[in-house]
């Protein structure tokens, strides 16, 4: 890149950086609350690849007070700007915009904010009232300030991503919203700035979140494989009988489970995840489940048992004093 790395601590600095740069390419933004980790670095690298060497990548670092509710960890949230600058630069960012709360919200809390609507009242919104209103308000402000062609967000925050896409469409923001797959640590735990709060024992319990999602994914894969093999049997045989005749060690049990689950099998997928979470609830320290939901990504409502097409299995829980979220995309095949 021909342009140097910049730190913008105020709106005037950002305008100078955006106004003076001689870059003919597209601009991308990666919005963060700091405490950058490999997940954020992946977002930045993806943004860089998207806009190319001639493009411009801005990373915002702002701990947004509007999206923290009473008793949440605003004051506790890690601030590591020096380390964040290095991570951002190493990952390919051109500038970091790190304003203060007074700079983003001159005069205090804004009187005009963005309401997340019905989708924002479900799951995370039910657990954290007002959270998504605050999130969308700051995202709208940062989109206006950075004026990007594309904005990149992690799929780990699936409901957040869905709401940002909805806002951009409903309010005609001239920006492409790009979702980037969740980055996980080697043991499967989704990368999060809050992982640093976990003790060794709490981390072992926290692995149940990703474990539950993977168990559900495996259950769906097995159901769909069994159903496909059942369909290959003579039409005169019932599905359960056909599966039972496959001669595999678990065929009969799986046949019964598939028959009980119905054509889509969403209930069995939920049950596979819940079994892992129930076991973690008996661990020491225990996992305290907030929600487990298999939802339609279009509106975040629960899917029926015979659902076909895309879905998201989302989970939120506390381990000790740390609240963690995770999700996995799933695709349900056509019913047999």
């Amino acid at each position: 890149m021909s342009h140097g790395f910049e730190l913008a601590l105020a709106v005037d600095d950002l305008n100078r950086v955006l106004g003076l740069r001689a870059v003919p390419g597209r601009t991308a933004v990666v919005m963060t609350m700091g405490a950058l980790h490999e997940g954020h670095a992946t977002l930045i690298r993806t943004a860089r690849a998207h806009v190319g060497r001639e493009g411009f990548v801005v990373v915002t670092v702002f701990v947004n007070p509007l999206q923290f509710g009473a008793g949440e960890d605003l004051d506790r949230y890690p601030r590591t700007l020096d380390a964040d600058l290095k991570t951002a630069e190493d990952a390919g960012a051109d500038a970091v915009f790190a304003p203060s709360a007074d700079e983003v919200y001159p005069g205090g809390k804004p009187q005009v904010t963005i309401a997340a609507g019905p989708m924002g009242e479900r799951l995370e919104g039910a657990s954290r009232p007002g959270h998504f209103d605050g999130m969308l308000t700051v995202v709208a402000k940062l989109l206006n300030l950075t004026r990007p062609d594309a904005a990149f967000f992690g799929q780990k925050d699936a409901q957040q991503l869905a709401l940002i896409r909805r806002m951009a469409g409903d309010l005609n923001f001239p920006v492409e919203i790009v979702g980037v797959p969740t980055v996980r640590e080697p043991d499967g735990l989704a990368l999060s700035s809050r992982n640093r709060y976990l003790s060794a024992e709490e981390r072992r319990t926290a692995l149940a979140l990703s474990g539950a999602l993977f168990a559900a994914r495996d259950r769906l894969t097995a159901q769909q494989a069994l159903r496909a093999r059942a369909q290959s049997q003579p039409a005169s045989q019932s599905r359960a009988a056909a599966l039972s005749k496959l001669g595999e060690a678990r065929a009969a049990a799986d046949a019964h489970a598939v028959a009980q689950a119905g054509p889509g099998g969403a209930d069995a997928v939920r049950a596979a995840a819940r079994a892992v979470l129930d076991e973690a609830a008996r661990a020491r320290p225990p996992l305290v489940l907030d929600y487990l939901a298999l939802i339609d990504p279009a509106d975040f409502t629960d899917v029926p048992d015979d659902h076909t097409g895309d879905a998201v299995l989302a989970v939120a829980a506390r381990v000790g004093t740390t609240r963690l979220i995770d999700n996995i995309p799933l695709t349900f095949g056509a019913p047999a």
Side-chain angles (χ1 to χ4, degrees):
M1 292 171 291
S2 60
H3 35 286
F5 182 76
E6 295 264 8
L7 169 63
L9 290 173
V11 172
D12 288 345
D13 298 325
L14 178 66
N15 289 335
R16 174 184 57 80
V17 170
L18 294 175
L20 294 180
R21 65 183 180 85
V23 179
R26 287 157 56 85
T27 296
V29 66
V30 175
M31 298 182 191
T32 83
M33 294 205 301
L36 302 190
H37 49 63
E38 179 58 26
H40 298 110
T42 298
L43 290 172
I44 297 167
R45 288 193 292 268
T46 304
R48 167 55 62 202
H50 190 82
V51 301
R53 289 181 60 83
E54 294 303 313
F56 198 80
V57 177
V58 180
V59 175
T60 68
V61 174
F62 179 63
V63 182
N64 178 32
L66 262 62
Q67 64 194 72
F68 286 80
E72 293 189 331
D73 54 357
L74 173 61
D75 294 334
R76 185 186 177 204
Y77 199 88
R79 275 83 165 170
T80 58
L81 183 59
D82 289 342
D84 294 344
L85 294 175
K86 179 170 179 16
T87 298
E89 184 174 16
D90 289 348
D94 296 300
V96 170
F97 178 43
S100 66
D102 289 339
E103 183 74 15
V104 176
Y105 302 119
K109 182 177 179 180
Q111 295 185 31
V112 176
T113 60
I114 291 180
M119 194 195 307
E121 297 172 356
R122 300 170 186 138
L123 300 185
E124 284 298 291
S127 298
R128 306 174 67 190
H131 166 73
F132 285 126
D133 293 354
M135 179 275 293
L136 290 178
T137 298
V138 79
V139 167
K141 288 177 70 73
L142 291 172
L143 287 175
N144 286 330
L145 288 167
T146 58
R147 305 188 293 279
D149 299 292
F152 292 76
F153 299 90
Q155 291 177 358
K156 184 179 82 71
D157 297 296
Q159 193 171 3
Q160 170 180 281
L161 175 59
L163 282 163
I164 292 170
R165 282 180 167 147
R166 170 73 67 166
M167 177 185 73
D170 285 355
L171 301 184
N172 299 105
F173 277 80
V175 61
E176 177 186 5
I177 304 300
V178 182
V180 179
T182 300
V183 179
R184 298 185 180 277
E185 301 197 38
D187 59 8
L189 190 67
L191 282 173
S192 169
S193 301
R194 291 185 168 93
N195 290 353
R196 68 186 67 196
Y197 300 150
L198 298 169
S199 68
E201 294 78 11
E202 289 170 343
R203 185 186 175 90
R204 282 195 292 271
T205 296
L207 290 175
L209 273 76
S210 57
L213 300 179
F214 298 156
R217 180 188 61 192
D218 292 346
R219 183 72 189 110
L220 177 60
T221 299
Q223 278 188 170
Q224 296 190 148
L226 284 163
R227 186 170 294 110
R229 283 180 282 178
Q231 288 179 309
S232 71
Q233 299 298 310
S236 60
Q237 296 179 336
S238 71
R239 177 183 300 142
L243 287 167
S244 297
K245 291 185 67 174
L246 290 174
E248 300 173 2
R250 296 181 59 188
D254 283 341
H256 178 72
V258 171
Q260 292 298 311
D267 288 348
V269 170
R270 291 184 181 97
R274 186 167 291 278
V276 176
L277 298 170
D278 287 347
E279 183 177 354
R282 298 187 290 270
R284 291 292 178 267
L287 180 143
V288 180
L289 184 64
D290 188 347
Y291 62 75
L292 172 70
L294 183 60
I295 50 87
D296 186 328
D299 58 10
F300 273 64
T301 56
D302 289 330
V303 302
D305 186 42
D306 60 354
H307 177 74
T308 60
D310 292 337
V312 173
L313 183 62
V315 62
R318 289 188 181 275
V319 182
T321 60
T322 303
R323 187 176 185 275
L324 299 170
I325 64 171
D326 201 352
N327 72 83
I328 193 169
L330 300 172
T331 300
F332 288 77

